């Protein structure tokens, strides 16, 4: 928001085996939302400059900031997508609510644990990854009147679940579309197909374009972000204890080749999302456990690390230098 990073976290909530029932409905107390502020804005040095979101959310998942500084979030317990004004707006109430509160479903008025939102530069189009159950991507158009009223129309959707045990991994068979990013200069919308360990890119109307899954890519891809011809991705922990540890990747979005990787001192443990600034100068990675946010900068003007132990290790593309430091413990993302 206005050049500052925004973190969406879960406060005192964790996602465990009791969180959802077998029908995907929320299994915990529906009368007690998270009492802590769940949306934190931090400045370049990691200091919190704004906070809001208490007593509203139940299980936050991901956050997106559009070019007008509006804040889009998903809540998997509520099975809803929300749009708020900058800093939550004056009354901290959503400008737009999509989905039916606590009701999972697969029709046009329901989601089932939606994961991510991507918004076009002109803010007239947005996409929702719906997510853990439906394994689809939905494209919408949106208009906002001068008095703030929102009109949303569904344009199309694509994708269906491949299933955890499925051997079919076609371009429209997702196994948890976990993160979305737009590459509008390429006319692409890409999704991190998490459990299939790949990134699938489609044109902005949903026609399959390419599968990015180069040799050496992680087996579980949690978050993706795009800037300047390159896709940034983070892999998560694998179920196989002998598998490679989580790492960050820099991919050429056209060829799918790995241009470089990024890592932190001690190694990423459980990265959940990544975002890169439009000029590709700054990168943020958030982790579930430990509950931290890492800031990485590219080039000749890195921030001063908070301590020498916070310096980064990286194997970047030639002539690229990435320096990272720990911002701080900011809750359960």
């Amino acid at each position: 928001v206005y050049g500052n990073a925004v973190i969406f976290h879960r406060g005192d909530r964790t996602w465990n085996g009791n969180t959802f029932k077998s029908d995907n409905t929320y299994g915990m107390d529906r009368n007690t939302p998270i009492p802590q502020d769940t949306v934190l804005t931090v400045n370049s040095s990691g200091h919190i400059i704004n906070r809001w979101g208490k007593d509203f959310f139940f299980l936050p998942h991901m956050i997106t900031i559009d070019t007008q500084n509006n804040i889009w979030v998903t809540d998997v317990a509520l099975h809803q997508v929300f749009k708020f004004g900058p800093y939550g707006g004056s009354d901290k109430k959503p400008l737009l609510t999509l989905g039916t509160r606590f009701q999972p479903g697969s029709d046009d008025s329901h989601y089932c644990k939606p994961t991510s939102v991507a918004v076009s530069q002109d803010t007239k189009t947005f996409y929702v990854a719906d997510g853990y159950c439906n394994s689809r991507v939905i494209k919408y158009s949106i208009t906002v009147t001068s008095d703030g009223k929102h009109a949303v129309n569904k344009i199309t959707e694509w994708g269906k679940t491949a299933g955890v045990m499925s051997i079919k991994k076609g371009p429209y068979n997702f196994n948890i579309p976990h993160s979305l990013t737009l590459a509008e200069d390429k006319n692409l919308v890409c999704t991190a197909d998490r459990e299939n360990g790949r990134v699938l890119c489609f044109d902005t109307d949903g026609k399959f374009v390419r599968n990015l899954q180069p040799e050496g890519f992680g087996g579980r891809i949690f978050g993706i972000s795009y800037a300047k011809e390159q896709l940034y991705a983070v892999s998560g922990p694998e179920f196989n204890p002998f598998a490679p540890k989580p790492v960050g990747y820099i991919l050429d979005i056209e060829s799918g080749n790995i241009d470089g990787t990024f890592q932190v001192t001690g190694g990423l443990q459980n990265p959940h999302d990544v975002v890169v600034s439009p000029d590709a100068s700054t990168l943020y990675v958030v982790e579930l456990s430990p509950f931290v946010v890492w800031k990485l900068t590219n080039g000749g003007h890195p921030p001063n690390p908070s301590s020498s132990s916070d310096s980064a290790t990286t194997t970047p593309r030639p002539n690229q230098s990435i320096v990272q430091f720990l911002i701080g413990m900011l809750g359960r993302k």
Side-chain angles (χ1 to χ4, degrees):
V1 169
Y2 300 108
N4 296 304
V6 185
I7 295 97
F8 193 34
H9 73 107
R10 293 177 182 162
D12 61 1
R13 305 299 158 86
T14 57
W15 188 340
N16 57 43
N18 298 317
T19 303
F20 291 94
K21 299 178 182 179
S22 59
D23 61 359
N24 291 309
T25 56
Y26 187 55
M28 309 305 286
D29 184 1
R30 299 185 184 186
N31 296 313
T32 308
I34 298 169
Q36 297 87 13
D37 285 316
T38 53
V39 186
L40 309 177
T41 303
V42 296
N43 62 17
S44 59
S45 61
H47 292 94
I48 298 172
I49 60 172
N50 181 266
R51 61 176 76 213
W52 58 278
K54 65 181 178 180
D55 299 325
F56 186 91
F57 299 104
F58 285 78
L59 199 62
H61 195 263
M62 282 189 176
I63 185 169
T64 300
I65 313 299
D66 68 25
T67 57
Q68 296 181 359
N69 294 294
N70 297 303
I71 297 172
W72 299 71
V73 295
T74 59
D75 188 306
V76 290
L78 290 169
H79 303 286
Q80 289 181 305
V81 175
F82 302 96
K83 174 189 174 184
F84 290 86
Y87 300 114
S90 59
D91 58 3
K92 304 300 184 286
K93 294 181 179 180
L95 302 173
L96 175 68
T97 301
L98 298 172
T100 305
R101 185 178 175 87
F102 288 122
Q103 293 184 18
S106 57
D107 59 26
D108 289 349
S109 61
H110 292 82
Y111 301 113
C112 188
K113 302 176 188 170
T115 51
S116 182
V117 179
V119 186
S120 64
Q121 288 285 318
D122 63 10
T123 69
K124 294 180 180 180
T125 305
F126 68 97
Y127 301 79
V128 173
D130 178 35
Y132 281 92
C133 323
N134 293 324
S135 286
R136 59 180 175 172
V137 176
I138 310 169
K139 179 181 181 180
Y140 299 92
S141 65
I142 182 171
T143 57
V144 183
T145 62
S146 58
D147 60 355
K149 293 181 179 179
H150 288 60
V152 174
N153 292 297
K154 176 183 172 182
I155 298 174
T156 188
E157 70 172 75
W158 64 92
K160 59 183 178 180
T161 182
V164 175
M165 301 304 293
S166 174
I167 61 173
K168 184 177 181 181
K169 296 180 180 178
Y172 295 96
N173 293 110
F174 301 137
N175 195 346
I176 307 180
H178 195 257
S179 175
L180 290 175
T181 192
L182 278 166
E184 290 189 80
D185 58 329
K186 305 293 184 183
N187 193 41
L188 294 175
V189 56
C190 301
T191 183
D193 187 12
R194 195 183 82 178
E195 298 304 313
N196 284 330
R198 60 184 181 172
V199 177
L200 296 172
C201 293
F202 305 83
D203 72 17
T204 51
D205 291 317
K207 182 180 178 181
F208 175 69
V209 176
R210 67 179 60 97
N211 174 17
L212 305 180
Q213 196 173 20
E215 184 178 355
F217 212 31
R220 303 175 75 215
I221 302 301
F222 278 69
I224 55 174
S225 188
Y226 172 79
K228 290 188 173 294
E229 312 281 329
Q230 291 184 312
L231 194 74
Y232 296 75
V234 288
S235 64
E238 308 233 10
F239 300 113
N240 177 1
F242 303 103
K245 299 300 183 183
V247 70
Y249 300 91
I250 306 168
L251 304 181
D252 183 292
I253 198 168
E254 295 284 357
S255 69
N257 294 331
I258 297 177
D259 287 346
T261 61
F262 52 92
Q263 189 54 277
V264 302
T265 300
L268 292 167
Q269 302 299 310
N270 197 5
H272 191 253
D273 198 10
V274 62
V275 64
V276 63
S277 62
D279 63 0
S281 66
T282 307
L283 185 70
Y284 292 91
V285 179
V286 293
E287 298 202 76
L288 280 168
S289 180
F291 305 119
V292 296
V293 178
W294 299 93
K295 179 179 180 180
L296 300 87
T297 62
N298 172 17
H301 302 285
N304 293 322
S306 57
S307 72
S308 60
S309 63
D310 292 333
S311 60
T313 59
T314 180
T315 54
R317 68 178 188 260
N319 301 318
Q320 182 184 36
S321 172
I322 299 180
V323 178
Q324 162 273 316
F325 68 100
L326 176 66
I327 285 184
M329 305 284 287
L330 292 175
R332 295 164 172 80
K333 168 70 173 64

